[in-house]
Amino acid sequence: QVQLQESGPGLVKPSQTLSLTCTVSGGSITAYSYYWSWIRQSPGKGLEWMGAITDRGSTYYNPSLKSRTSIVRDTSKNQFTLHLSAVTPEDTAVYYCARAGSLRTVVTAKSDYDYWGQGAQVTVSS
């Protein structure tokens, strides 16, 4: 059973960089043909795909966030990390990491992905 767990600060000040790490157990992030994504949900809004890193380390980003987003991985720890720079209060959301067998940039329901973390609430406020 694959499990994902998000970790990171729950409060970030405006203009700072938000960093969240997803620790994966029960499966390797280098396993063939999986896409490991970051997805967020702001209050009153739908699920927004932010970006993904593949089993080979290739990255894909939401064009609307690409200039501020970076996803990196540490294969020795079986983790991948989201960095979102220059945050504003509009970046306040629950942030999820998730796994899919293909690149799914539109997320209409959690069933679009096969495994999810429990989610991490991040508030951007001074």
Side-chain angles (χ1 to χ4, degrees):
Q1 178 78 358
V2 175
Q3 293 185 316
L4 294 83
Q5 178 68 58
E6 303 90 351
S7 61
L11 180 64
V12 182
K13 295 184 184 300
S15 80
Q16 292 186 341
T17 295
L18 178 164
S19 295
L20 290 171
T21 294
C22 183
T23 301
V24 179
S25 59
S28 172
I29 61 172
T30 61
Y32 179 70
S33 198
Y34 285 118
Y35 292 74
W36 303 88
S37 286
W38 285 99
I39 297 161
R40 69 181 182 180
Q41 186 165 29
S42 301
K45 297 185 179 180
L47 295 164
E48 179 182 30
W49 177 78
M50 302 181 69
I53 189 164
T54 72
D55 57 305
R56 297 186 177 187
S58 299
T59 52
Y60 300 85
Y61 299 109
N62 185 324
S64 68
L65 298 169
K66 186 175 182 179
S67 64
R68 300 196 291 131
T69 307
S70 173
I71 298 175
V72 298
R73 66 178 185 173
D74 185 335
T75 57
S76 68
K77 295 180 179 179
N78 215 33
Q79 297 175 332
F80 59 106
T81 298
L82 169 73
H83 300 293
L84 180 67
S85 63
V87 297
T88 72
E90 286 65 43
D91 293 308
T92 294
V94 177
Y95 287 76
Y96 298 94
C97 54
R99 190 192 84 170
S102 60
L103 184 62
R104 304 185 70 97
T105 62
V106 177
V107 187
T108 56
K110 285 196 170 182
S111 57
D112 291 343
Y113 281 70
D114 51 7
Y115 291 103
W116 290 75
Q118 66 182 21
Q121 171 69 50
V122 178
T123 301
V124 180
S125 175
S126 56

